[in-house]
Amino acid sequence: MTSLVQSLNSATRKIPAWILYVLGMVPVAALTLQLFNGQLGIDPVKTLEHELGEIALQLLIAGLAITPLRNAFGLNLIKFRRAIGLLAFAYVVMHLGVWLFLDMQLLMQQILKDLVKRWYITIGMFGLLLMIPLALTSNNLSLRKLGAANWRKLHKLTYGAVLAGAIHYVILVKGWQLEPLIYLAIVVLLLAMRIPPLKRVRLV
Amino acid sequence: MSKTFKTDLKWSDVTPKADFLNRRQLMAGVGAAGLIASTPALGKIATVKSRYSTSEKPNSFEDITKYNNFYEFGTGKDDPAKYAGALTTDPWSIKIDGMVDRPGTYDLADITKGVTMEERIYRFRCVEAWAMVIPWVGFELSTLLKRVGVKSGAKYVAFETLERPSEMIGQKRRTIPWPYREGLRLDEAMNPLTILATGLYGDTLPNQNGAPIRLVVPWKYGFKSIKSIVRISLTSKQPESSWNMLQPSEYGFYSNVNPNVDHPRWSQASERKIGGLIAKRQPTLMFNGYEKEVAGLYKGMDLAKFY
C-alpha cells in the first residue's frame, strides 16, 4: 500500500494541473454533441440539467476528498484542487444556466417564486452563492493578499457548498432514491474525516 | 347504487361497425402507402373515435414509450423501457372485491369481452410539471363497475398494481410503499373521462406504459393513473394511496391538475410539453383542460385544502 501511494505520488507529480481544465471540459463537449445528435433522450433539457448538476457534485466531492486522502493515506493531490474547484464552479453555473434558460425559459415571476418556495432550489442557490467568493479567490494573487490563514478560513465555505449540493439532490428527487443518498453519505464521511479525532487516523 | 352516471350519448351516436371497419381499411391503405409510417402498427385493435378526444397532436410513440415514471421498474425515466420487458402480462386477472354485487377474480379477457374499445386522445400532465398528448385505447371504467354492480354505500374505488419483485426490479427497494395503491371517489370513477386503457396508438399497451390494463384519469396528475392493475375494491372509506402515504403534504388524495395550487416542489403554473430539442413551457390549464367535464364534481370544495 505504501509503495502504491508512493508511486501514485511520483506519477501525479509529473502531471501538470492545467490538463485538468482540458479534461474537465470533455463532458461539456460530449453533452453538446449528444444534444444536437438527439442522444440525450426524450427530454434533452432535463438530461443536460441533471448531468451538469451531477458532474458538479462529483467535482465538489473530489475537491473535498483531497485533504482526507492526504491525512489518511499520505496521497498528495493538492496541486489539482484549485482546478477541481474551479471546474465544479463552472459546472454549477452551467447547471443554473440550463435551468434558467432552457428549463424555466426565463419565466421570471415563476423563477423568483421557486427560489423562495422550493427548498431544493433555495438550498442549491445558497450553495452556488457560497462558491462565488471561493471561485473569485482561487488564484495566487488572492492567496497572497488574503494571507494563507485567512484564505484557508474563507475556503472552509466549501463544506457548506458541498453539503448544500448533496442535500439539494436528495430533496429534489421523489421518494428516497439511492443515488443521492450515497452522494450525501460520502460528503458526510469526508466532512467527518476533518473532525480532530478522526483527522489523525492514518490508514497507511 | 346511488350515483349512476347518465350520459347524453345515444346508441345512435356510436359509429356503426361497418363504418369504422371501412375507415380502418382506408387507414390501412394509407399506411401501406407509407404516408403514416411514423405511426406504429396502426389499428391492430378495433376502436371507435370519441368526442372526448383532444384535437391536439399526440406525442410520438417514442416519446410516450421511452419517457415513463413507473417506479416498479426503477426511478429513471428510461428505466421502464429498459426493464419492463421482464413483466408477464398474460395470463392476467383482476380481483374485484369490496362493496360489489359480483365480487371475484376476473380474467382480463372476460373484462374486455364485448366491450367497445375507444380511441381517447388525452392530455397527460405529470406532477413533475411536464406534459404530453397520448392516444389511449380503452373503455370507460363505469362500464366495468356497472357490470360488477356497485352496492349502495360504496363511496370510493381503490386500485392496486401488481407486486412481483422477481419481474419488477424496482420493487426490490422500498422507494415507495408497494404494492402501488391509488383511489378515486366513486363519482370520479364513474365520470365518462375516466377510462381503463389497454392500448396505445391503436395497439396493445407496451409494458412500460402499464400493460396490460391501467387507469387513465386525464384531469388528475399522472401518478393517479395507476398501472398494471390487479385489484379493484369498492369501499366506503377513502382508500390509501402510495404517494400520499409517503409524503402526505405533497401528494393529496385528489391531486387534480390545478395551476393555482402549487406542489411544494414544483410550481404548477406552467408545464413543459415534451417533444423536440427543447420542451416548450406552456401554461397549465385548470383540471388539465377538462374543466367543463369535471369542475362540477368539486363544486363547493376548497381545492387548496383538498389538493
Side-chain angles (χ1 to χ4, degrees), chain A residues 53-98:
Chain A
E54 196 165 347
I55 295 170
L57 185 57
Q58 287 165 351
L59 286 165
L60 281 168
I61 289 174
L64 201 61
I66 305 263
T67 298
L69 281 177
R70 192 187 52 194
N71 288 346
F73 299 99
L75 195 61
N76 189 8
L77 300 169
I78 199 123
K79 72 166 176 185
F80 299 115
R81 195 164 63 180
R82 178 181 291 171
I84 293 172
L86 285 171
L87 279 169
F89 182 68
Y91 275 89
V92 168
V93 170
M94 287 187 281
H95 175 65
L96 174 72
V98 171

Side-chain angles (χ1 to χ4, degrees), chain A residues 43 103 105 110 118 171 173, chain B residues 263 265 270 272 279 281:
Chain A
D43 190 358
D103 182 340
Q105 294 165 26
Q110 205 180 318
R118 323 282 156 215
I171 59 177
V173 298
Chain B
H263 180 280
R265 279 162 206 262
S270 67
R272 298 168 59 251
R281 270 206 187 259

